[in-house]
PDB file of all heavy atoms in Angstrom:
ATOM      1  N   LYS A  15    -113.300  18.915 -79.595  1.00  0.00           N
ATOM      2  CA  LYS A  15    -114.305  18.971 -78.576  1.00  0.00           C
ATOM      3  C   LYS A  15    -114.893  20.416 -78.512  1.00  0.00           C
ATOM      4  O   LYS A  15    -114.577  21.269 -79.314  1.00  0.00           O
ATOM      5  CB  LYS A  15    -113.730  18.528 -77.201  1.00  0.00           C
ATOM      6  CG  LYS A  15    -113.188  17.135 -77.223  1.00  0.00           C
ATOM      7  CD  LYS A  15    -112.658  16.749 -75.882  1.00  0.00           C
ATOM      8  CE  LYS A  15    -112.055  15.289 -75.907  1.00  0.00           C
ATOM      9  NZ  LYS A  15    -111.511  14.907 -74.629  1.00  0.00           N
ATOM     10  N   GLY A  16    -115.751  20.611 -77.526  1.00  0.00           N
ATOM     11  CA  GLY A  16    -116.369  21.903 -77.346  1.00  0.00           C
ATOM     12  C   GLY A  16    -115.375  22.947 -76.842  1.00  0.00           C
ATOM     13  O   GLY A  16    -114.324  22.584 -76.329  1.00  0.00           O
ATOM     14  N   PRO A  17    -115.657  24.221 -76.974  1.00  0.00           N
ATOM     15  CA  PRO A  17    -114.712  25.313 -76.672  1.00  0.00           C
ATOM     16  C   PRO A  17    -114.354  25.324 -75.202  1.00  0.00           C
ATOM     17  O   PRO A  17    -113.298  25.878 -74.837  1.00  0.00           O
ATOM     18  CB  PRO A  17    -115.455  26.565 -77.056  1.00  0.00           C
ATOM     19  CG  PRO A  17    -116.909  26.255 -77.093  1.00  0.00           C
ATOM     20  CD  PRO A  17    -116.946  24.750 -77.523  1.00  0.00           C
ATOM     21  N   ALA A  18    -115.192  24.766 -74.331  1.00  0.00           N
ATOM     22  CA  ALA A  18    -114.745  24.733 -72.879  1.00  0.00           C
ATOM     23  C   ALA A  18    -113.530  23.852 -72.658  1.00  0.00           C
ATOM     24  O   ALA A  18    -112.865  23.975 -71.661  1.00  0.00           O
ATOM     25  CB  ALA A  18    -115.959  24.248 -72.046  1.00  0.00           C
ATOM     26  N   MET A  19    -113.273  22.945 -73.636  1.00  0.00           N
ATOM     27  CA  MET A  19    -112.168  22.035 -73.464  1.00  0.00           C
ATOM     28  C   MET A  19    -110.930  22.474 -74.255  1.00  0.00           C
ATOM     29  O   MET A  19    -109.869  21.866 -74.093  1.00  0.00           O
ATOM     30  CB  MET A  19    -112.590  20.647 -73.962  1.00  0.00           C
ATOM     31  CG  MET A  19    -113.821  20.070 -73.267  1.00  0.00           C
ATOM     32  SD  MET A  19    -113.560  19.863 -71.491  1.00  0.00           S
ATOM     33  CE  MET A  19    -112.400  18.492 -71.509  1.00  0.00           C
ATOM     34  N   TRP A  20    -111.068  23.484 -75.104  1.00  0.00           N
ATOM     35  CA  TRP A  20    -109.889  23.939 -75.859  1.00  0.00           C
ATOM     36  C   TRP A  20    -108.848  24.476 -74.871  1.00  0.00           C
ATOM     37  O   TRP A  20    -109.111  25.245 -73.986  1.00  0.00           O
ATOM     38  CB  TRP A  20    -110.242  25.020 -76.831  1.00  0.00           C
ATOM     39  CG  TRP A  20    -111.266  24.620 -77.845  1.00  0.00           C
ATOM     40  CD1 TRP A  20    -111.761  23.365 -78.121  1.00  0.00           C
ATOM     41  CD2 TRP A  20    -111.911  25.466 -78.821  1.00  0.00           C
ATOM     42  NE1 TRP A  20    -112.628  23.373 -79.188  1.00  0.00           N
ATOM     43  CE2 TRP A  20    -112.791  24.689 -79.582  1.00  0.00           C
ATOM     44  CE3 TRP A  20    -111.863  26.858 -79.066  1.00  0.00           C
ATOM     45  CZ2 TRP A  20    -113.549  25.182 -80.604  1.00  0.00           C
ATOM     46  CZ3 TRP A  20    -112.648  27.358 -80.067  1.00  0.00           C
ATOM     47  CH2 TRP A  20    -113.479  26.557 -80.849  1.00  0.00           C
ATOM     48  N   SER A  21    -107.599  24.002 -75.053  1.00  0.00           N
ATOM     49  CA  SER A  21    -106.557  24.433 -74.177  1.00  0.00           C
ATOM     50  C   SER A  21    -105.235  24.696 -74.952  1.00  0.00           C
ATOM     51  O   SER A  21    -104.706  23.779 -75.596  1.00  0.00           O
ATOM     52  CB  SER A  21    -106.287  23.342 -73.138  1.00  0.00           C
ATOM     53  OG  SER A  21    -107.437  23.057 -72.386  1.00  0.00           O
ATOM     54  N   PRO A  22    -104.716  25.937 -74.940  1.00  0.00           N
ATOM     55  CA  PRO A  22    -103.475  26.218 -75.619  1.00  0.00           C
ATOM     56  C   PRO A  22    -102.304  25.556 -74.799  1.00  0.00           C
ATOM     57  O   PRO A  22    -102.254  25.473 -73.602  1.00  0.00           O
ATOM     58  CB  PRO A  22    -103.371  27.750 -75.599  1.00  0.00           C
ATOM     59  CG  PRO A  22    -104.199  28.142 -74.408  1.00  0.00           C
ATOM     60  CD  PRO A  22    -105.280  27.093 -74.250  1.00  0.00           C
ATOM     61  N   ARG A  23    -101.287  25.127 -75.636  1.00  0.00           N
ATOM     62  CA  ARG A  23    -100.056  24.578 -75.036  1.00  0.00           C
ATOM     63  C   ARG A  23     -98.913  24.967 -75.926  1.00  0.00           C
ATOM     64  O   ARG A  23     -98.979  24.956 -77.159  1.00  0.00           O
ATOM     65  CB  ARG A  23    -100.155  23.035 -74.961  1.00  0.00           C
ATOM     66  CG  ARG A  23     -98.923  22.405 -74.251  1.00  0.00           C
ATOM     67  CD  ARG A  23     -99.086  20.842 -74.219  1.00  0.00           C
ATOM     68  NE  ARG A  23     -98.101  20.270 -73.357  1.00  0.00           N
ATOM     69  CZ  ARG A  23     -96.814  19.933 -73.724  1.00  0.00           C
ATOM     70  NH1 ARG A  23     -96.476  20.127 -75.021  1.00  0.00           N
ATOM     71  NH2 ARG A  23     -96.044  19.349 -72.865  1.00  0.00           N
ATOM     72  N   ALA A  24     -97.819  25.322 -75.289  1.00  0.00           N
ATOM     73  CA  ALA A  24     -96.622  25.775 -76.020  1.00  0.00           C
ATOM     74  C   ALA A  24     -95.358  25.104 -75.465  1.00  0.00           C
ATOM     75  O   ALA A  24     -95.179  24.939 -74.276  1.00  0.00           O
ATOM     76  CB  ALA A  24     -96.440  27.301 -75.909  1.00  0.00           C
ATOM     77  N   GLN A  25     -94.502  24.691 -76.411  1.00  0.00           N
ATOM     78  CA  GLN A  25     -93.144  24.313 -76.028  1.00  0.00           C
ATOM     79  C   GLN A  25     -92.326  25.597 -75.970  1.00  0.00           C
ATOM     80  O   GLN A  25     -92.498  26.479 -76.839  1.00  0.00           O
ATOM     81  CB  GLN A  25     -92.553  23.364 -77.061  1.00  0.00           C
ATOM     82  CG  GLN A  25     -93.217  22.039 -77.200  1.00  0.00           C
ATOM     83  CD  GLN A  25     -93.047  21.153 -75.985  1.00  0.00           C
ATOM     84  OE1 GLN A  25     -93.965  20.451 -75.586  1.00  0.00           O
ATOM     85  NE2 GLN A  25     -91.844  21.174 -75.399  1.00  0.00           N
ATOM     86  N   SER A  26     -91.427  25.714 -75.028  1.00  0.00           N
ATOM     87  CA  SER A  26     -90.591  26.909 -74.885  1.00  0.00           C
ATOM     88  C   SER A  26     -89.174  26.602 -74.941  1.00  0.00           C
ATOM     89  O   SER A  26     -88.720  25.424 -74.643  1.00  0.00           O
ATOM     90  CB  SER A  26     -90.925  27.614 -73.573  1.00  0.00           C
ATOM     91  OG  SER A  26     -92.152  28.295 -73.583  1.00  0.00           O
ATOM     92  N   ASP A  27     -88.326  27.530 -75.336  1.00  0.00           N
ATOM     93  CA  ASP A  27     -86.900  27.454 -75.205  1.00  0.00           C
ATOM     94  C   ASP A  27     -86.621  27.782 -73.729  1.00  0.00           C
ATOM     95  O   ASP A  27     -86.792  28.913 -73.308  1.00  0.00           O
ATOM     96  CB  ASP A  27     -86.223  28.454 -76.138  1.00  0.00           C
ATOM     97  CG  ASP A  27     -84.724  28.377 -76.112  1.00  0.00           C
ATOM     98  OD1 ASP A  27     -84.138  28.361 -74.951  1.00  0.00           O
ATOM     99  OD2 ASP A  27     -84.095  28.389 -77.172  1.00  0.00           O
ATOM    100  N   ARG A  28     -86.244  26.770 -72.985  1.00  0.00           N
ATOM    101  CA  ARG A  28     -86.157  26.922 -71.527  1.00  0.00           C
ATOM    102  C   ARG A  28     -85.105  27.961 -71.088  1.00  0.00           C
ATOM    103  O   ARG A  28     -85.288  28.641 -70.100  1.00  0.00           O
ATOM    104  CB  ARG A  28     -85.901  25.596 -70.843  1.00  0.00           C
ATOM    105  CG  ARG A  28     -84.637  24.884 -71.280  1.00  0.00           C
ATOM    106  CD  ARG A  28     -84.530  23.477 -70.696  1.00  0.00           C
ATOM    107  NE  ARG A  28     -84.387  23.487 -69.276  1.00  0.00           N
ATOM    108  CZ  ARG A  28     -83.203  23.513 -68.639  1.00  0.00           C
ATOM    109  NH1 ARG A  28     -82.065  23.511 -69.398  1.00  0.00           N
ATOM    110  NH2 ARG A  28     -83.140  23.422 -67.395  1.00  0.00           N
ATOM    111  N   MET A  29     -84.071  28.141 -71.911  1.00  0.00           N
ATOM    112  CA  MET A  29     -83.098  29.126 -71.552  1.00  0.00           C
ATOM    113  C   MET A  29     -83.567  30.553 -71.841  1.00  0.00           C
ATOM    114  O   MET A  29     -83.427  31.484 -71.017  1.00  0.00           O
ATOM    115  CB  MET A  29     -81.771  28.855 -72.299  1.00  0.00           C
ATOM    116  CG  MET A  29     -81.047  27.631 -71.780  1.00  0.00           C
ATOM    117  SD  MET A  29     -79.638  27.131 -72.753  1.00  0.00           S
ATOM    118  CE  MET A  29     -80.413  26.238 -74.071  1.00  0.00           C
ATOM    119  N   LEU A  30     -84.234  30.741 -72.961  1.00  0.00           N
ATOM    120  CA  LEU A  30     -84.815  32.020 -73.317  1.00  0.00           C
ATOM    121  C   LEU A  30     -85.930  32.398 -72.316  1.00  0.00           C
ATOM    122  O   LEU A  30     -86.102  33.579 -71.971  1.00  0.00           O
ATOM    123  CB  LEU A  30     -85.432  32.016 -74.697  1.00  0.00           C
ATOM    124  CG  LEU A  30     -84.440  32.064 -75.918  1.00  0.00           C
ATOM    125  CD1 LEU A  30     -85.195  32.055 -77.252  1.00  0.00           C
ATOM    126  CD2 LEU A  30     -83.646  33.348 -75.841  1.00  0.00           C
ATOM    127  N   PHE A  31     -86.683  31.373 -71.837  1.00  0.00           N
ATOM    128  CA  PHE A  31     -87.708  31.619 -70.903  1.00  0.00           C
ATOM    129  C   PHE A  31     -87.133  32.265 -69.638  1.00  0.00           C
ATOM    130  O   PHE A  31     -87.697  33.243 -69.121  1.00  0.00           O
ATOM    131  CB  PHE A  31     -88.413  30.299 -70.527  1.00  0.00           C
ATOM    132  CG  PHE A  31     -89.696  30.402 -69.793  1.00  0.00           C
ATOM    133  CD1 PHE A  31     -90.929  30.426 -70.416  1.00  0.00           C
ATOM    134  CD2 PHE A  31     -89.711  30.469 -68.385  1.00  0.00           C
ATOM    135  CE1 PHE A  31     -92.095  30.519 -69.683  1.00  0.00           C
ATOM    136  CE2 PHE A  31     -90.867  30.563 -67.697  1.00  0.00           C
ATOM    137  CZ  PHE A  31     -92.099  30.621 -68.335  1.00  0.00           C
ATOM    138  N   SER A  32     -86.071  31.691 -69.062  1.00  0.00           N
ATOM    139  CA  SER A  32     -85.473  32.238 -67.852  1.00  0.00           C
ATOM    140  C   SER A  32     -84.862  33.617 -68.124  1.00  0.00           C
ATOM    141  O   SER A  32     -85.000  34.507 -67.275  1.00  0.00           O
ATOM    142  CB  SER A  32     -84.433  31.248 -67.381  1.00  0.00           C
ATOM    143  OG  SER A  32     -83.830  31.683 -66.192  1.00  0.00           O
ATOM    144  N   ILE A  33     -84.208  33.755 -69.266  1.00  0.00           N
ATOM    145  CA  ILE A  33     -83.562  35.047 -69.589  1.00  0.00           C
ATOM    146  C   ILE A  33     -84.617  36.147 -69.655  1.00  0.00           C
ATOM    147  O   ILE A  33     -84.410  37.274 -69.097  1.00  0.00           O
ATOM    148  CB  ILE A  33     -82.775  34.961 -70.885  1.00  0.00           C
ATOM    149  CG1 ILE A  33     -81.511  34.076 -70.698  1.00  0.00           C
ATOM    150  CG2 ILE A  33     -82.374  36.316 -71.406  1.00  0.00           C
ATOM    151  CD1 ILE A  33     -80.826  33.685 -71.971  1.00  0.00           C
ATOM    152  N   LYS A  34     -85.701  35.897 -70.336  1.00  0.00           N
ATOM    153  CA  LYS A  34     -86.756  36.923 -70.444  1.00  0.00           C
ATOM    154  C   LYS A  34     -87.362  37.316 -69.140  1.00  0.00           C
ATOM    155  O   LYS A  34     -87.635  38.503 -68.876  1.00  0.00           O
ATOM    156  CB  LYS A  34     -87.827  36.478 -71.471  1.00  0.00           C
ATOM    157  CG  LYS A  34     -88.820  37.565 -71.871  1.00  0.00           C
ATOM    158  CD  LYS A  34     -88.097  38.705 -72.543  1.00  0.00           C
ATOM    159  CE  LYS A  34     -89.059  39.799 -72.985  1.00  0.00           C
ATOM    160  NZ  LYS A  34     -88.377  40.923 -73.598  1.00  0.00           N
ATOM    161  N   TRP A  35     -87.612  36.281 -68.255  1.00  0.00           N
ATOM    162  CA  TRP A  35     -88.192  36.597 -66.942  1.00  0.00           C
ATOM    163  C   TRP A  35     -87.206  37.506 -66.180  1.00  0.00           C
ATOM    164  O   TRP A  35     -87.653  38.479 -65.535  1.00  0.00           O
ATOM    165  CB  TRP A  35     -88.372  35.322 -66.160  1.00  0.00           C
ATOM    166  CG  TRP A  35     -89.851  34.981 -65.937  1.00  0.00           C
ATOM    167  CD1 TRP A  35     -90.504  33.876 -66.361  1.00  0.00           C
ATOM    168  CD2 TRP A  35     -90.783  35.767 -65.229  1.00  0.00           C
ATOM    169  NE1 TRP A  35     -91.834  33.966 -65.973  1.00  0.00           N
ATOM    170  CE2 TRP A  35     -91.985  35.142 -65.254  1.00  0.00           C
ATOM    171  CE3 TRP A  35     -90.692  36.996 -64.601  1.00  0.00           C
ATOM    172  CZ2 TRP A  35     -93.122  35.616 -64.643  1.00  0.00           C
ATOM    173  CZ3 TRP A  35     -91.801  37.545 -63.932  1.00  0.00           C
ATOM    174  CH2 TRP A  35     -93.044  36.864 -64.021  1.00  0.00           C
ATOM    175  N   ARG A  36     -85.899  37.210 -66.265  1.00  0.00           N
ATOM    176  CA  ARG A  36     -84.957  38.082 -65.524  1.00  0.00           C
ATOM    177  C   ARG A  36     -84.965  39.505 -66.078  1.00  0.00           C
ATOM    178  O   ARG A  36     -84.890  40.491 -65.337  1.00  0.00           O
ATOM    179  CB  ARG A  36     -83.540  37.490 -65.572  1.00  0.00           C
ATOM    180  CG  ARG A  36     -82.560  38.353 -64.851  1.00  0.00           C
ATOM    181  CD  ARG A  36     -81.234  37.657 -64.563  1.00  0.00           C
ATOM    182  NE  ARG A  36     -80.300  38.545 -63.945  1.00  0.00           N
ATOM    183  CZ  ARG A  36     -79.164  38.153 -63.412  1.00  0.00           C
ATOM    184  NH1 ARG A  36     -78.846  36.879 -63.412  1.00  0.00           N
ATOM    185  NH2 ARG A  36     -78.330  39.012 -62.848  1.00  0.00           N
ATOM    186  N   GLU A  37     -85.120  39.645 -67.404  1.00  0.00           N
ATOM    187  CA  GLU A  37     -85.246  40.965 -67.993  1.00  0.00           C
ATOM    188  C   GLU A  37     -86.401  41.751 -67.439  1.00  0.00           C
ATOM    189  O   GLU A  37     -86.243  42.948 -67.062  1.00  0.00           O
ATOM    190  CB  GLU A  37     -85.368  40.869 -69.519  1.00  0.00           C
ATOM    191  CG  GLU A  37     -84.045  40.505 -70.245  1.00  0.00           C
ATOM    192  CD  GLU A  37     -84.308  40.487 -71.733  1.00  0.00           C
ATOM    193  OE1 GLU A  37     -85.338  40.983 -72.214  1.00  0.00           O
ATOM    194  OE2 GLU A  37     -83.411  39.973 -72.456  1.00  0.00           O
ATOM    195  N   TYR A  38     -87.537  41.120 -67.384  1.00  0.00           N
ATOM    196  CA  TYR A  38     -88.701  41.810 -66.782  1.00  0.00           C
ATOM    197  C   TYR A  38     -88.473  42.248 -65.367  1.00  0.00           C
ATOM    198  O   TYR A  38     -88.804  43.332 -64.973  1.00  0.00           O
ATOM    199  CB  TYR A  38     -89.950  40.847 -66.861  1.00  0.00           C
ATOM    200  CG  TYR A  38     -90.655  40.832 -68.250  1.00  0.00           C
ATOM    201  CD1 TYR A  38     -90.918  39.667 -68.820  1.00  0.00           C
ATOM    202  CD2 TYR A  38     -91.063  42.019 -68.836  1.00  0.00           C
ATOM    203  CE1 TYR A  38     -91.565  39.589 -70.091  1.00  0.00           C
ATOM    204  CE2 TYR A  38     -91.682  41.999 -70.063  1.00  0.00           C
ATOM    205  CZ  TYR A  38     -91.937  40.817 -70.671  1.00  0.00           C
ATOM    206  OH  TYR A  38     -92.589  40.773 -71.898  1.00  0.00           O
ATOM    207  N   LEU A  39     -87.899  41.341 -64.600  1.00  0.00           N
ATOM    208  CA  LEU A  39     -87.648  41.629 -63.158  1.00  0.00           C
ATOM    209  C   LEU A  39     -86.664  42.823 -63.011  1.00  0.00           C
ATOM    210  O   LEU A  39     -86.845  43.698 -62.212  1.00  0.00           O
ATOM    211  CB  LEU A  39     -87.136  40.431 -62.419  1.00  0.00           C
ATOM    212  CG  LEU A  39     -88.141  39.260 -62.269  1.00  0.00           C
ATOM    213  CD1 LEU A  39     -87.443  37.984 -61.939  1.00  0.00           C
ATOM    214  CD2 LEU A  39     -89.211  39.620 -61.231  1.00  0.00           C
ATOM    215  N   GLU A  40     -85.609  42.777 -63.837  1.00  0.00           N
ATOM    216  CA  GLU A  40     -84.578  43.825 -63.684  1.00  0.00           C
ATOM    217  C   GLU A  40     -85.071  45.167 -64.204  1.00  0.00           C
ATOM    218  O   GLU A  40     -84.537  46.230 -63.769  1.00  0.00           O
ATOM    219  CB  GLU A  40     -83.335  43.398 -64.500  1.00  0.00           C
ATOM    220  CG  GLU A  40     -82.591  42.277 -63.812  1.00  0.00           C
ATOM    221  CD  GLU A  40     -81.324  41.874 -64.567  1.00  0.00           C
ATOM    222  OE1 GLU A  40     -81.185  42.326 -65.782  1.00  0.00           O
ATOM    223  OE2 GLU A  40     -80.498  41.151 -64.042  1.00  0.00           O
ATOM    224  N   GLU A  41     -86.075  45.179 -65.097  1.00  0.00           N
ATOM    225  CA  GLU A  41     -86.615  46.417 -65.627  1.00  0.00           C
ATOM    226  C   GLU A  41     -87.526  47.140 -64.629  1.00  0.00           C
ATOM    227  O   GLU A  41     -87.859  48.334 -64.819  1.00  0.00           O
ATOM    228  CB  GLU A  41     -87.378  46.167 -66.918  1.00  0.00           C
ATOM    229  CG  GLU A  41     -86.491  45.805 -68.089  1.00  0.00           C
ATOM    230  CD  GLU A  41     -87.301  45.297 -69.282  1.00  0.00           C
ATOM    231  OE1 GLU A  41     -88.509  45.178 -69.163  1.00  0.00           O
ATOM    232  OE2 GLU A  41     -86.687  45.013 -70.324  1.00  0.00           O
ATOM    233  N   ASN A  42     -87.911  46.439 -63.551  1.00  0.00           N
ATOM    234  CA  ASN A  42     -88.906  46.988 -62.594  1.00  0.00           C
ATOM    235  C   ASN A  42     -88.144  47.784 -61.530  1.00  0.00           C
ATOM    236  O   ASN A  42     -87.436  47.242 -60.719  1.00  0.00           O
ATOM    237  CB  ASN A  42     -89.724  45.865 -61.958  1.00  0.00           C
ATOM    238  CG  ASN A  42     -91.003  46.392 -61.286  1.00  0.00           C
ATOM    239  OD1 ASN A  42     -90.941  47.393 -60.548  1.00  0.00           O
ATOM    240  ND2 ASN A  42     -92.086  45.704 -61.536  1.00  0.00           N
ATOM    241  N   SER A  43     -88.381  49.108 -61.519  1.00  0.00           N
ATOM    242  CA  SER A  43     -87.663  49.971 -60.592  1.00  0.00           C
ATOM    243  C   SER A  43     -88.047  49.777 -59.098  1.00  0.00           C
ATOM    244  O   SER A  43     -87.349  50.266 -58.243  1.00  0.00           O
ATOM    245  CB  SER A  43     -87.842  51.438 -60.993  1.00  0.00           C
ATOM    246  OG  SER A  43     -89.219  51.805 -60.997  1.00  0.00           O
ATOM    247  N   ASN A  44     -89.208  49.148 -58.920  1.00  0.00           N
ATOM    248  CA  ASN A  44     -89.654  48.920 -57.490  1.00  0.00           C
ATOM    249  C   ASN A  44     -89.130  47.603 -56.893  1.00  0.00           C
ATOM    250  O   ASN A  44     -89.497  47.246 -55.826  1.00  0.00           O
ATOM    251  CB  ASN A  44     -91.179  48.867 -57.439  1.00  0.00           C
ATOM    252  CG  ASN A  44     -91.776  50.289 -57.457  1.00  0.00           C
ATOM    253  OD1 ASN A  44     -91.114  51.254 -57.137  1.00  0.00           O
ATOM    254  ND2 ASN A  44     -93.018  50.382 -57.856  1.00  0.00           N
TER     255      ASN A  44
END
């Protein structure tokens, strides 16, 4: 279809997803 309808989609490793989020949060000194 036209570019207005293009939509990226990704399967994630659900455990890695959670681990990486925690890393980002823990790295924030504020």
Side-chain angles (χ1 to χ4, degrees):
K15 300 180 180 180
M19 303 298 289
W20 298 352
S21 302
R23 185 180 190 272
Q25 297 292 140
S26 284
D27 184 311
R28 57 189 294 268
M29 288 173 280
L30 284 179
F31 192 95
S32 181
I33 289 169
K34 189 62 178 178
W35 248 120
R36 180 164 177 170
E37 283 182 13
Y38 278 128
L39 292 164
E40 289 182 345
E41 289 169 358
N42 197 314
S43 59
N44 282 337

